[in-house]
Amino acid sequence: MQPARQGKKWLRAEEDQLLEELRGEDRLGDIAARHQRSVGAICARIEHLLVPDRVFDSDAALIDWAKSVARSPQFVRPVSSPPVRTVVDVERPSRAPEADPARREAVLAIRTALTAGTGREVAAPDVGELDVLASFDDGRLEEAGRAVVKRRGPLGLADWVLECDSPGIADIRLTADQLGTGGEAEKSAGAQLVRAGLARLWQRNREILLMRLGLLTGATTMAEIAQQFGLTRERIRQIQNRELDRALVTAGSGVRRGWHEARDRLRRLLIPDGQSACDPELVLIFVELVMPHAPREVAVTVVGRLSGGKAATCRELVTAVETCHHEREQRNRLAAEEERQRIRASEQRSRRTAKVLRLIDEAEWPPTTSIPAGGAPTPVRSPGQRPHWSNPRRWWAPRLGREVGCESEAELHVVQLLDAADDWS
């Protein structure tokens, strides 16, 4: 059931009450029930009021951070609500927060252990890449490091970061020609690129978007996803549209992450040589192969954003893809109509042939095939006699008193049989 104040405008007094509740020990569900709003609406308003400087993996993490901020002695309630933040085509920085020196040493120790005995020289570590690696747990680091060493030998930090972000992304080999085959291998590779491109989004919102794209098992419609996450259908739509804007991946600077690799591979796959925009035909093939159950507009927008397209460019791409789909459907309808006409003509020929064969079978044939006296002086051939070698498709018809031409041997055989039927009319 939808909360009573769902979608209603927030008042200044209600915002003050929310901030006061953050200083207490109330749970998120209790706060939402007291305000007669959904949990998602409460989290969105907290982000609007406090403007966090990072993305949280869950609502609980956001609430814990908000409570710590509200309880801080230095916290001052803004005189007026901060302006509504509009999404711009700027990617979030890919550099991770500065890691603890002890954590950096732990990463270097894992690297030393993985490269011990290989006899290969290890390059000096980059501080930015080292900080990114320090954000992963030891198990993930060891698994990804072994994969890089097995595949390439030396354990470069850049390759290590990519393997930690998206395992196996460096092994993807997908071309435009392979998209047409529509195999499971190509579908899996394309899905891996999309997941890698969306990896930097907040975990819950990323799961919602992946469900809408059909890349996670379970619900795909807004109503089903809303029921699974305990949100309203409208809130799911808002999250979808917001994350579509945040899905933009640019060339970036600094540390190269898995979504940068996915962006470059998608651009090589979908942008033909000499062009600067995605080919609508290739995008349509990619979307239908990788995300066949997703809404086409949503899937095309995701591909466009992950390929580095601005918002206006993605809208143009959606229109172009819809045009390509309409034209292809029209061509398919014409081809199907031509096939139906061909089958109809073939059936008509079959019926005519069957009728001729039935008439031949019902005819009363004479006991002999002799020709009546008084025929033409030209030598007479019997039905069993082969035509002359110089013109195998001409036959002397006694009833006509002349030679007749046949377009095929089948027609020749029919003429021979008809000539032998005395009662033929």
Side-chain angles (χ1 to χ4, degrees), residues 27-305:
R27 295 181 301 174
L28 178 59
D30 297 335
I31 296 175
R34 192 175 297 115
H35 286 264
Q36 298 182 355
R37 298 180 183 271
S38 65
V39 171
I42 296 297
C43 293
R45 201 59 187 178
I46 291 174
E47 291 181 342
H48 177 77
L49 292 172
L50 302 183
V51 191
D53 56 354
R54 61 182 181 274
V55 178
F56 298 94
D57 293 337
S58 63
D59 292 340
L62 173 64
I63 292 300
D64 292 341
W65 172 86
K67 286 179 177 293
S68 64
V69 172
R71 294 169 182 172
S72 174
Q74 292 80 19
F75 174 72
V76 178
R77 170 68 161 89
V79 177
S80 60
S81 298
V84 177
R85 293 174 294 166
T86 58
V87 178
V88 295
D89 289 324
V90 177
E91 182 187 0
R92 299 176 187 176
S94 58
R95 182 179 177 86
E98 184 175 346
D100 182 71
R103 186 58 189 159
R104 291 180 181 175
E105 293 297 330
V107 173
L108 293 177
I110 294 175
R111 184 192 191 192
T112 302
L114 292 174
T115 56
T118 59
R120 297 179 179 271
E121 183 179 355
V122 179
D126 179 85
V127 176
E129 294 170 345
L130 196 59
D131 289 340
V132 172
L133 291 170
S135 63
F136 296 99
D137 58 78
D138 292 349
R140 183 74 171 271
L141 290 172
E142 292 178 1
E143 182 181 359
R146 291 192 188 95
V148 175
V149 171
K150 181 179 179 181
R151 183 171 61 246
R152 298 194 176 186
L155 184 56
L157 294 189
D159 297 332
W160 202 2
V161 169
L162 291 181
E163 190 67 21
C164 288
D165 276 336
S166 182
I169 192 172
D171 297 330
I172 295 179
R173 299 291 182 269
L174 188 60
T175 63
D177 295 334
Q178 293 174 334
L179 288 179
T181 61
E184 287 298 325
E186 289 76 14
K187 179 179 180 179
S188 176
Q192 186 175 357
L193 290 178
V194 175
R195 292 191 186 96
L198 299 176
R200 60 194 178 89
L201 300 180
W202 183 19
Q203 181 180 357
R204 186 198 68 175
N205 296 349
R206 181 175 69 249
E207 292 178 358
I208 290 175
L209 191 54
L210 289 175
M211 284 183 177
R212 285 290 285 158
L213 297 175
L215 298 180
L216 281 182
T217 57
T220 56
T221 65
M222 287 188 181
E224 295 171 343
I225 298 174
Q227 183 178 5
Q228 181 169 338
F229 284 89
L231 303 174
T232 63
R233 185 180 181 278
E234 176 62 20
R235 180 57 180 164
I236 295 297
R237 186 192 65 80
Q238 294 173 357
I239 293 175
Q240 169 191 288
N241 294 339
R242 183 179 64 186
E243 298 309 309
L244 286 178
D245 289 330
R246 291 179 174 178
L248 171 68
V249 179
T250 60
S253 59
V255 180
R256 181 175 177 80
R257 303 298 298 270
W259 45 87
H260 297 134
E261 182 72 13
R263 170 190 181 273
D264 293 345
R265 290 178 179 270
L266 284 174
R267 289 178 65 86
R268 289 196 296 267
L269 177 65
L270 302 176
I271 300 180
D273 295 337
Q275 298 186 16
S276 58
C278 294
D279 184 0
E281 287 283 355
L282 290 177
V283 173
L284 179 60
I285 295 174
F286 180 85
V287 166
E288 292 181 339
L289 172 64
V290 178
M291 298 167 279
H293 305 297
R296 191 179 305 111
E297 181 179 355
V298 176
V300 172
T301 303
V302 167
V303 173
R305 299 295 275 178

